[in-house]
Amino acid sequence: MARITAGLTTSHIPAVGAAIDLGKTGEPYWKPVFAGYEFSKRWIAEHMPDVVVLVYNDHASAFSLEMIPTFAIGCAESFQPADEGWGPRPVPVVQGHPELAWHIAQSTILDEFDMTIVNRMDVDHGLTVPLSLLFGQPAAWPCKVIPLAVNVVQYPPPTGNRCWNLGRAISKAVASFDRDLKVMVWGTGGMSHQLQGPRAGLINRDFDTRFLDGLTKDPEALAKIPHVEYVREAGSEGIELVMWLIMRGALERAAREVHRFYHVPASNTAVGHIILENPPR
Ligand code: DHB
Ligand code: FE
């Protein structure tokens, strides 16, 4: 059977992707950011999944105000990097896993989550920057990726609790897929940041630290945080953190933290990254 072996979360800052693409990772500003992923690159090479369910948000690349699915699962064979205004990032095409994606769609919809099934979708920095951070610059991505897009751009986004429960439903779906596959779930975005308005530039290290602690030790408490608290404490774009709860809900309660990284600033945000492993079977 398929099995979720581990999960991770990471910020998905577009400037980080540009730093990689433009060969600037060794510059003094960027060096400490990429240093936080050195362990992670070795770790993932040793624990390479067959498939990553990659939870991210589309930033008006594939969707727009014309169409706003709350949860959308990519069931296609492949996904092209999106053109976000400067041409598509020079990264490999993302190879999907249609069978597992359709299985997760079926299982979660029958569990009463209204997933949107997407058969064509370009993927933006929300999805490609985490791949670059973990896998560097390969000719092809080393595993399949199922994009799972969450609306955190246009009010109202889903609640943290809904995201937590969706993670649990994904765990159940994966466990009932009749193929031997190592699956990881990644949650992206965050941490505290606000990109616009009078509070632009907001960073809240205390909130971020509590969120990282809670993610490992007390995720049920995080699932109760209301939207207004995210926006007040973590800034308007800090609401992306609800996506981390999908990852955490998909893991076992006893998952073990094996790596944590926090750094301020990168572009306009706090970088947060955590790796959790499920107990060995
Ligand atoms: C920025 C954009 C994002 O989508 C994000 O999650 C973090 C930072 C930015 O423009 O700096
Ligand atoms: Fe974002």
Side-chain angles (χ1 to χ4, degrees):
M1 301 301 264
R3 171 161 194 269
I4 296 177
T5 54
L8 64 84
T9 65
T10 175
S11 307
H12 60 212
I13 305 158
V16 164
I20 295 170
D21 301 342
L22 300 172
K24 296 186 172 183
T25 58
E27 291 187 358
Y29 181 85
W30 289 112
K31 232 176 155 164
V33 174
F34 291 101
Y37 291 83
E38 285 305 316
F39 169 88
S40 318
K41 289 169 113 169
R42 291 193 303 273
W43 172 85
I44 201 145
E46 283 166 21
H47 299 84
M48 189 59 73
D50 299 302
V51 189
V52 172
V53 177
L54 205 158
V55 180
Y56 76 110
N57 65 292
D58 178 76
H59 303 74
S61 304
F63 305 121
S64 69
L65 291 179
E66 290 179 2
M67 206 186 314
I68 309 169
T70 301
F71 298 118
I73 185 161
C75 296
E77 293 279 353
S78 64
F79 305 89
Q80 298 287 334
D83 183 347
E84 299 181 58
W86 299 269
R89 287 192 62 212
V91 293
V93 172
V94 172
Q95 300 302 324
H97 196 298
E99 289 162 299
L100 180 58
W102 275 102
H103 176 80
I104 293 172
Q106 170 176 307
S107 181
T108 54
I109 289 168
L110 295 183
D111 273 340
E112 304 179 346
F113 288 87
D114 306 316
M115 301 291 278
T116 298
I117 293 165
V118 182
N119 291 315
R120 200 176 84 184
M121 176 164 72
D122 291 352
V123 287
D124 73 11
H125 69 270
L127 183 134
T128 62
V129 168
L131 289 175
S132 300
L133 279 169
L134 272 293
F135 297 133
Q137 295 177 291
W141 297 122
C143 62
K144 312 270 191 194
V145 177
I146 296 176
L148 202 162
V150 180
N151 167 43
V152 289
V153 168
Q154 172 60 49
Y155 186 85
T159 63
N161 192 54
R162 182 92 173 136
C163 290
W164 164 257
N165 283 322
L166 177 59
R168 292 164 54 123
I170 289 169
S171 153
K172 181 177 157 195
V174 170
S176 64
F177 188 64
D178 193 11
R179 290 245 312 261
D180 259 340
L181 288 179
K182 273 166 67 177
V183 179
M184 281 187 194
V185 181
W186 295 8
T188 76
M191 294 201 81
S192 55
H193 65 301
Q194 171 142 349
L195 301 177
Q196 26 76 40
R199 296 205 308 159
L202 176 144
I203 303 274
N204 185 343
R205 181 185 285 267
D206 286 345
F207 177 88
D208 289 341
T209 305
R210 273 185 275 122
F211 200 89
L212 287 162
D213 288 341
L215 197 71
T216 302
K217 296 192 200 120
D218 194 6
E220 290 91 346
L222 295 190
K224 295 195 185 97
I225 297 176
H227 284 148
V228 66
E229 189 172 329
Y230 283 101
V231 175
R232 189 182 63 233
E233 300 299 323
S236 50
E237 277 68 43
I239 192 66
E240 289 182 341
L241 286 168
V242 295
M243 297 187 288
W244 291 25
L245 294 172
I246 298 178
M247 180 290 289
R248 188 63 182 96
L251 290 192
E252 290 172 35
R253 189 64 182 75
R256 187 174 67 98
E257 182 177 326
V258 294
H259 180 60
R260 180 193 290 208
F261 175 61
Y262 185 76
H263 176 84
V264 176
S267 186
N268 304 296
T269 91
V271 182
H273 171 43
I274 204 162
I275 299 177
L276 297 169
E277 280 178 7
N278 265 345
R281 197 163 34 184

